[in-house]
Amino acid sequence: LKKKYKWRLFADESLSLGALGDTGRGLTEYFGIPLDSIELLAGSLSTTFASIGGFCIGSGTVVSHQRLSGAGYCFSAASPPFVSTAAMATLELLEKEGKGKLHVLRKRSQFLQKKLAELGEGLLSTESSSLSPICHVRLAPKYRSVNSRKDAFDVDARFKEEQILSSIVRLTQAEGVLIVCARYSLEDNANAHGPPVPPPSMKVIVTSSHEESEIENAVKIIVKATKFVLK
């Protein structure tokens, strides 16, 4: 489609870099897309890189434009050197230990979904890929008020389901497990004919540093909170 209609392809690697691909190079490696076929590749340094700011990769023309028009150039508010140093150190770690850590990360992601299916059966569900360390957890269908794309634009239906999820999140956090509710804006998607809006969900994220026992304990706490809220 890109070639047929002469579109420019922009890709956001904020959540995929360091998580997808054999060596953690993100979407391009995972889907086998040549870098030169993407006009603009951007991402945040606050996820995998545990830093601040972001990056933008493109052709010489695109990069020159970014440098001349970017806030750092116009307002002299570039990130301090230690921020770039931290990101560079992460890149070095990915190059040295990336394959091993990614293997562990995928096993932990699959284990999370396995335990959610086992312990949360009839209460919780997820349609997230088992390859992703970010798992969107929803209420089981019988407890939902948002069951279709049309419902996703119903403010009252969303609010009702989000209130339940928020209560689960608060109880879970009180037990020492940090999860959050996913938030989406309906302002730019005011009707069912606009772009789809994801349904209400909780975000549960694992890392390669988590042990399986920690993940299982976290799922037990989430399920316990869910049972309490839905009783």
Side-chain angles (χ1 to χ4, degrees):
L1 287 174
K2 174 183 181 290
K3 292 179 180 178
K4 181 178 179 181
Y5 295 103
K6 296 180 173 59
W7 288 343
R8 291 186 175 92
L9 180 59
F10 294 176
D12 185 348
E13 293 269 30
S14 295
L15 301 176
S16 52
L17 196 63
L20 293 180
D22 291 339
T23 60
R25 283 178 167 78
L27 291 170
T28 54
E29 185 175 47
Y30 180 73
F31 289 108
I33 302 171
L35 272 175
D36 58 10
S37 67
I38 300 176
E39 275 70 29
L40 193 64
L41 191 68
S44 171
L45 295 177
S46 63
T47 50
T48 303
F49 293 92
S51 188
I52 302 170
F55 63 89
C56 226
I57 302 170
S59 66
T61 303
V62 170
V63 172
S64 295
H65 174 72
Q66 286 292 104
R67 284 174 175 162
L68 290 172
S69 304
Y73 182 88
C74 297
F75 302 107
S76 299
S79 298
F82 75 85
V83 169
S84 298
T85 303
M88 289 167 64
T90 304
L91 275 174
E92 290 177 4
L93 280 173
L94 274 173
E95 289 179 352
K96 293 176 182 177
E97 306 174 19
K99 279 193 174 183
K101 287 189 176 294
L102 283 166
H103 176 70
V104 174
L105 179 62
R106 292 192 183 105
K107 287 181 66 177
R108 299 294 185 265
S109 301
Q110 291 165 358
F111 185 79
L112 169 65
Q113 296 215 12
K114 176 186 174 184
K115 286 301 169 184
L116 280 168
E118 289 176 2
L119 303 175
E121 185 177 6
L123 294 170
L124 301 167
S125 67
T126 179
E127 296 175 2
S128 295
S129 169
S130 60
L131 291 174
S132 173
I134 302 174
C135 184
H136 283 266
V137 181
R138 293 200 66 195
L139 296 173
K142 66 179 178 180
Y143 297 112
R144 297 175 186 172
S145 53
V146 176
N147 289 295
S148 66
R149 177 173 174 173
K150 184 178 180 181
D151 290 342
F153 293 92
D154 185 325
V155 176
D156 292 332
R158 288 193 73 94
F159 180 75
K160 181 180 178 182
E161 191 168 328
E162 285 174 351
Q163 285 294 96
I164 294 173
L165 295 176
S166 294
S167 296
I168 295 171
V169 165
R170 283 195 296 272
L171 288 172
T172 302
Q173 290 178 349
E175 292 285 337
V177 177
L178 181 59
I179 62 173
V180 296
C181 282
R183 299 295 183 188
Y184 305 100
S185 172
L186 300 181
E187 291 183 5
D188 298 326
N189 306 277
N191 57 69
H193 301 293
V197 178
S201 66
M202 300 178 289
K203 282 198 293 187
V204 183
I205 302 173
V206 294
T207 72
S208 59
S209 299
H210 285 123
E211 298 293 337
E212 289 187 350
S213 58
E214 293 175 315
I215 295 171
E216 183 170 2
N217 184 57
V219 172
K220 286 179 179 178
I221 291 171
I222 294 169
V223 171
K224 176 185 173 184
T226 303
K227 287 178 178 178
F228 182 84
V229 173
L230 295 177
K231 70 179 180 180

